[in-house]
Every structure is written in structure tokens, then in C-alpha cells.
Amino acid sequence: MTNYFKGKPVGREMLEKSIESTAEQLHAIMDELLPEPSGLIEDQLFKALRYVALSPGKRIRPYLVVATSNAFGVSLDCALKTAVAIEFIHAYSLVHDDLPAMDNDDFRRGQPSCHKKFDEATAILTGDALLTLAFEMLAHESTHSDPGVRTELISKIAIASGYRGMVGGQMMDLLAQHNTLEFSEVVRLQRMKTGALFAVSCEAGAILGKASKNLRNALRAYANNIGIAFQITDDLLDAEGTREETGKSVRKDKSQGKATLVSCIGIEKAKEHALVLAKQAIEHLNIFDGKANLLKELAYFIVERNK
Amino acid sequence: MTNYFKGKPVGREMLEKSIESTAEQLHAIMDELLPEPSGLIEDQLFKALRYVALSPGKRIRPYLVVATSNAFGVSLDCALKTAVAIEFIHAYSLVHDDLPAMDNDDFRRGQPSCHKKFDEATAILTGDALLTLAFEMLAHESTHSDPGVRTELISKIAIASGYRGMVGGQMMDLLAQHNTLEFSEVVRLQRMKTGALFAVSCEAGAILGKASKNLRNALRAYANNIGIAFQITDDLLDAEGTREETGKSVRKDKSQGKATLVSCIGIEKAKEHALVLAKQAIEHLNIFDGKANLLKELAYFIVERNK
């Protein structure tokens, strides 16, 4: 798939370097944090946790935490802890969504999905352990010295992950294979399944930095736009990309008869819409003066990526 | 199965009434808290959440939260919130453990298990939603006005539920079907799979009540003993009880070749051991004077139950 948006490349290199170095830091923390196999009976769980979490992902959600934290002067150390928790929640959702009873995906991040590499039981438990570990991390004082900030984060992240967010969205998505969804229902589905965790990843920086309501609202509006833009791009990659590029199975939506934003409005209109959303997202950041430049560039990056 | 311990029945009636009325209060809170099906596409998830959480369980773990909170003068309202969160975590673990890829149990709490009533995907998501909702509740200010207390609870409960606790224990349990475990390994397995959540259920009252270290340690020691005693009784019910009594499938351990505490030491020794553990548990409570009488009676109740 070629890039469909020829936007200004200003700052792209800097953004990519920033994403890359953040990904390395996230990897180091996860590597340190996850238990190592050590001859215990349950070693297989530890192997699966490391296999899933340390595989090379895009790390967009944790990057949002770090980038928004940066805009509010939050220490990188604190931001990275929350970012890792968000990445664990994202990773758990991929492992469970890939299960045969769910989306039945054998391929993820360029390698066999967890239940193919190990087995279904291990994949279910690996997801459960990652979700639980995320909340353990968020509750820890190294995430933020103020426990009130930590409980606010936990509350928002739990709501975004649970039945009103990711879990509810995945339930809708499964049922969408047997029902024809209207465009507005697909939008609601995507807001829950992808948008909610995107939104809270952006808001995390504002919560950690105890930002004003105005700035929080601006970030949330930005996040809502790039969340949908991200999902449209995912759908486009499923429709037009290759497994080699994306690292996961493609053409799944069509073969499963899934209603997506792209199937609702068509490929060309979807590309236009993603770009409009990215531009709208950027508008919301003007209130930050120059402090959110990386986030602005990120909005374009999200609709231009090819994986 | 007949009672194998003829202990003093002092206080039994009062304990049973207390357990019953607590169960009713828990039910009312869960009923209020869980979303109602309302014509949404994802209604099936809401139905499954209610099916699982509102089915008649023993509610031993949440009762431990309420009983220990009572010993420290914690308001019943706060105690019940934490108790519900613990019950959600217990319920999630049952739903996931019953899945075909795990213990493959079709019957739970006197009714078809979640994946039989609905389907596997719904059961996986129901478990995920319950686990997430538990942490959302624990983070909420209605659980305790002090956010530091809430983060301590979340941290302890996450550790007890994750790879060092329930999830790790379940992984061991699955692998135990292919390996012969030694007695000490079975004890470690049970401490993780059942004991950890039992222990934190007891400690919860001490955390909510900001109790002294001494009293906390006493409660933890009590919890460790009754946790193992509870598991032995479960194993005995599997070996000797009926499906009608227990509300779940029986003779599973033997047919799956599972090493349990009972298979390791035999039925008669296991009964003796459970009783010794109950008595030891009670010893630890002497430090409370009369304030923990319900907990003392509960230790006997746990080894005398027939379901």
C-alpha cells in the first residue's frame, strides 16, 4: 500500500526517532518487569508473557502517554510506567481477540499469535495476567507519588477497557459478523473498541500532569479524532495492505463479512475522511502553542503508516 | 457427603444468618451495578455478566472481607464495595477456568457454565469485563475515602490475582494434568490458585481499617490456613460429593488425573488435616479477643460445608 496522504513531512524524522527511542525504553522496562522462566512448573506462562509483550509492536498507545505527559512536564519515568500499563492492556486485548473463539487470527506482529505459539489455555491466562499486571503497575507509587492521581488513572483506564469500552466493543464486533451494522453503529463500535483506550492514553498525560480542564478537553477531542483515523487506516491496511507489511493477517474483514468504516463508505471516501480527522485533531492542539508539535505530527503519521 | 467434623455448633446459626444476609446485600449491589440489557448490540455481554455474577454462589470470599472489616470497625458500606470487587474477581476466574481450553466444565453453581449458556467468545469477554470492573470499583472513592488505602488494596488484590497468584496457580493446575506433582508443589499450587485471594480477602478488612501490623499478620496467618482447608474440602467434595450438593461437576480431579492435596495424602488424612488447619486458623485469632468470633466459627464452617 502506498501512502495516500501527501502531507508536509516537517518533523517526521524527529517523530519517528522519538517513537523508536520510546519503544526501546518501554521494551527495557517490560523486560525488567516480566518474570523470567526459572525452572518453575508455570514457566510456560512467563514465556508467553514475554513472547507477547516483547514482540515488536507499533507502541502507538504508550507513545501517546509519553508524548502527552511531555506536554505537561511529567517526568519521563512516571510517564513510562503508565505507558507500559497501557501497552499491557493493549497486548492482552490482542491475545484474547486473536483466540479461535473470537477473531481466530493465527498471525500477529509478524509472528504466530499466542495461542498458536503456545496453546489456547496459555493464551487466555496470558491475557488475564497482562490485564492484572497493568492495574498492579498503575497502583504502584512509582507511577505517581499522589495516590489520588493513581486512582483517577485506574478508574479511567478500567472504564475504557471494560464493558463500556474495549470489551463491549469487541462483543459488538463479534456480533457485527451476523448483523448488518449501520454507519453510526460502526462508529460507536470503533469508539468503544479502539477509541476509548486511545482517548485515555492521551488523557493520561493530562491526569499525571494535573492539567486544567480546558487542556484535558482539548486532548480528549484530539484523541477521539485520531482514534477513529487510526481505525480507518487499520481497515484500509486490511483491505489493501499485505501480511508482510502489516505483520498480521489481512482481508479478514471482507472474508468475515464485517462491517467496517471502510466497507460502509468505500476506500476513497475513507482515505479522505481519515485525513480530515487528522486535520481536525491537530486543530484541537492549537491551545498548546508549540508544546504539542510531536502530537500534531503524530496525527499525520497515524493516517500515513503502512503497518 | 456427611459432615466429617463433629465440632461444637456454637454460633453456627448466627454465622449462617450473617453469611445469608451479606449475600443478599452483595446481590443487591451487583444487581444495581451491572448494566441491564437495553436493546444494544452488545446486550449479550450484559446478559452474561448478570447470569454469572447474580447466580447463587457461596460468597465465602466477599464474606471474609465483610467479617474482617467488621472486626476493625470499617463501615459496612465500604466493606461491601470491596467485597463485591473480590466476588467479581472470583467469578471471572470461574468463567475462564470453566472454558473448554481450560478445565472444560459444563456446570457451575447449579446451572450451565457461561460458555455453555452463551458461547466461548462471550465467556472470555465476560471474564475480562468482570476483572476490569473489579478494579474500576476498587479505584472509586465509595470504596474508601483515602486514595492511599484504595491503591494499597488494588495492589494487593492485583498481586493475588495475577501471575504470582490465581493466574499462575491455574497455569500450574493445567500443567499438573501432564506432570506428577509432589505434595509441596501441590501446596504451592493451592496457595497461589485459591490461597492468595483468600488471604487478600481477609487482609482487606485490615487494610480498610488501617489496622496494626500485628493484627494484619494474624489475619494473614488465619487466611493461609483456611485457604488450604477450603481447598482440601473442595477436593473432598469432588471425591465424595454429588453434583446436586455441590452445584458443579464432580469426580473431575480423578478423571483428569489431577494431583490434589487429597490424592496426595488420601481421604482420611485429608479430613484430619483440614480440621487441624481450621483449629490452627482459630488460634491466630485469639489476639482479637471476642471481635473475631464469626471468623472463628467460619473456620469450622469452611471444613464442614457440603457444597
Side-chain angles (χ1 to χ4, degrees):
Chain A
M1 187 179 145
T2 53
N3 288 343
Y4 49 83
F5 171 67
K6 307 281 177 219
K8 285 199 241 166
V10 182
R12 175 60 52 95
E13 202 182 326
M14 191 183 155
L15 173 70
E16 288 186 352
K17 271 193 183 154
S18 170
I19 292 177
E20 206 177 297
S21 82
T22 302
E24 280 166 18
Q25 288 168 304
L26 293 164
H27 190 282
I29 295 174
M30 293 191 288
D31 188 24
E32 174 80 25
L33 200 80
L34 292 169
E36 295 256 21
S38 59
L40 293 171
I41 295 165
E42 69 272 29
D43 267 0
Q44 181 164 306
L45 176 65
F46 303 165
K47 286 179 197 158
L49 282 168
R50 301 182 73 84
Y51 178 79
V52 165
L54 302 178
S55 68
K58 294 186 286 291
R59 319 281 192 224
I60 296 284
R61 293 161 189 80
Y63 184 74
L64 285 169
V65 178
V66 171
T68 56
S69 293
N70 184 51
F72 294 105
V74 176
S75 85
L76 180 60
D77 217 41
C78 287
L80 284 168
K81 295 284 164 57
T82 300
V84 164
I86 294 271
E87 180 63 15
F88 282 161
I89 289 179
H90 175 56
Y92 123 77
S93 76
L94 297 181
V95 171
H96 280 191
D97 288 358
D98 283 345
L99 284 165
M102 302 261 250
D103 299 341
N104 194 20
D105 253 318
D106 291 352
F107 207 68
R108 170 70 65 182
R109 289 178 168 178
Q111 58 185 25
S113 29
C114 187
H115 66 275
K116 292 302 278 187
K117 175 78 179 177
F118 299 93
D119 54 39
E120 281 184 50
T122 305
I124 295 165
L125 292 172
T126 299
D128 293 346
L130 286 168
L131 177 58
T132 312
L133 187 53
F135 289 111
E136 182 192 330
M137 284 194 73
L138 291 168
H140 196 270
E141 59 185 4
S142 62
T143 297
H144 197 285
S145 58
D146 180 347
V149 167
R150 305 203 299 271
T151 50
E152 188 182 351
L153 263 181
I154 292 166
S155 176
K156 293 255 161 86
I157 291 174
I159 290 171
S161 311
Y163 71 85
R164 308 178 199 81
M166 273 163 59
V167 174
Q170 174 65 7
M171 184 84 255
M172 281 184 83
D173 208 11
L174 289 168
L175 297 169
Q177 291 167 38
H178 311 289
N179 298 285
T180 313
L181 298 196
E182 294 183 16
F183 183 69
S184 65
E185 290 170 325
V186 178
V187 170
R188 191 171 85 87
L189 187 164
Q190 298 301 357
R191 274 199 196 286
M192 289 167 73
K193 188 175 167 170
T194 317
L197 196 66
F198 254 83
V200 82
S201 300
C202 284
E203 209 182 341
I207 295 171
L208 289 167
K210 300 186 178 181
S212 72
K213 219 167 181 178
N214 268 359
L215 294 178
R216 271 189 204 215
N217 289 340
L219 269 183
R220 205 180 297 126
Y222 166 84
N224 284 335
N225 283 329
I226 60 163
I228 300 288
F230 181 88
Q231 188 58 49
I232 292 175
T233 310
D234 248 20
D235 296 344
L236 285 167
L237 287 167
D238 183 78
E240 299 193 322
T242 65
R243 199 183 91 164
E244 287 65 37
E245 283 175 332
T246 62
K248 57 186 174 184
S249 311
V250 293
R251 311 288 180 280
K252 297 277 299 181
D253 295 337
K254 202 165 182 181
S255 72
Q256 295 179 345
K258 255 192 205 178
T260 68
L261 296 169
V262 171
S263 76
C264 282
I265 62 176
I267 286 182
E268 288 314 309
K269 279 224 162 141
K271 287 178 182 178
E272 279 170 36
H273 191 50
L275 180 53
V276 168
L277 286 167
K279 284 181 171 166
Q280 277 179 359
I282 289 167
E283 294 283 311
H284 292 297
L285 298 178
N286 288 335
I287 190 175
F288 283 89
D289 295 324
K291 283 189 184 167
N293 278 345
L294 278 180
L295 289 174
K296 288 185 179 180
E297 185 60 32
L298 186 63
Y300 287 128
F301 176 78
I302 275 174
V303 296
E304 289 173 19
R305 68 202 165 89
N306 62 359
K307 62 179 184 175
Chain B
M1 187 177 146
T2 53
N3 286 345
Y4 50 83
F5 170 67
K6 305 283 177 216
K8 284 198 240 167
V10 181
R12 175 60 51 96
E13 200 181 327
M14 192 182 154
L15 173 70
E16 289 186 351
K17 271 194 183 154
S18 170
I19 293 176
E20 205 176 299
S21 82
T22 303
E24 281 166 17
Q25 289 167 303
L26 293 165
H27 190 282
I29 295 173
M30 293 191 289
D31 187 26
E32 174 79 27
L33 199 81
L34 292 168
E36 294 256 20
S38 59
L40 293 171
I41 295 166
E42 68 272 30
D43 267 1
Q44 182 164 305
L45 175 65
F46 304 165
K47 286 179 197 156
L49 282 167
R50 301 183 73 84
Y51 178 78
V52 165
L54 302 178
S55 67
K58 292 185 289 289
R59 318 279 191 225
I60 295 283
R61 292 161 189 81
Y63 184 72
L64 285 169
V65 177
V66 171
T68 56
S69 292
N70 184 51
F72 294 105
V74 176
S75 86
L76 180 60
D77 218 40
C78 286
L80 284 168
K81 293 283 163 58
T82 300
V84 164
I86 293 272
E87 180 63 13
F88 281 161
I89 289 178
H90 175 56
Y92 123 77
S93 77
L94 297 180
V95 171
H96 280 190
D97 287 359
D98 284 345
L99 285 165
M102 302 262 250
D103 299 342
N104 194 18
D105 253 317
D106 291 353
F107 207 69
R108 170 70 66 182
R109 288 179 169 177
Q111 58 185 26
S113 30
C114 186
H115 66 275
K116 294 300 281 186
K117 175 77 178 179
F118 300 92
D119 55 38
E120 283 184 49
T122 305
I124 295 166
L125 291 172
T126 299
D128 293 346
L130 286 168
L131 176 58
T132 312
L133 188 54
F135 289 111
E136 182 192 329
M137 284 194 73
L138 291 168
H140 196 270
E141 60 186 4
S142 61
T143 297
H144 197 285
S145 57
D146 180 347
V149 166
R150 307 204 297 272
T151 51
E152 188 181 351
L153 263 181
I154 292 166
S155 176
K156 293 256 162 87
I157 292 173
I159 290 170
S161 311
Y163 71 86
R164 307 177 200 82
M166 273 163 58
V167 174
Q170 174 65 6
M171 184 84 256
M172 281 185 83
D173 208 10
L174 288 168
L175 297 169
Q177 291 168 36
H178 311 289
N179 298 284
T180 313
L181 298 196
E182 294 184 16
F183 184 68
S184 65
E185 291 170 324
V186 178
V187 170
R188 192 170 85 86
L189 186 164
Q190 297 302 355
R191 274 199 196 286
M192 289 166 73
K193 188 175 166 169
T194 318
L197 197 66
F198 253 83
V200 83
S201 300
C202 284
E203 210 183 339
I207 296 171
L208 289 167
K210 299 186 179 182
S212 70
K213 220 168 179 179
N214 268 359
L215 294 178
R216 270 189 204 216
N217 289 342
L219 269 184
R220 206 182 296 127
Y222 165 85
N224 283 335
N225 283 329
I226 60 163
I228 300 288
F230 181 88
Q231 189 58 51
I232 292 176
T233 310
D234 248 19
D235 295 345
L236 286 167
L237 287 167
D238 182 77
E240 298 193 324
T242 64
R243 197 182 93 164
E244 287 65 36
E245 282 176 329
T246 62
K248 58 187 174 184
S249 311
V250 293
R251 312 287 181 278
K252 296 277 298 180
D253 295 336
K254 202 166 182 180
S255 72
Q256 295 179 345
K258 255 191 204 178
T260 68
L261 296 168
V262 171
S263 76
C264 281
I265 61 176
I267 286 181
E268 286 315 311
K269 278 221 162 147
K271 288 179 182 177
E272 279 170 36
H273 191 51
L275 181 52
V276 168
L277 286 166
K279 283 182 172 164
Q280 278 179 357
I282 289 167
E283 294 283 312
H284 292 297
L285 297 178
N286 288 336
I287 191 175
F288 283 89
D289 295 326
K291 283 188 183 168
N293 278 345
L294 279 180
L295 289 173
K296 288 185 179 180
E297 185 61 30
L298 186 65
Y300 287 127
F301 176 78
I302 275 174
V303 295
E304 289 173 20
R305 70 204 164 88
N306 62 359
K307 62 178 184 175

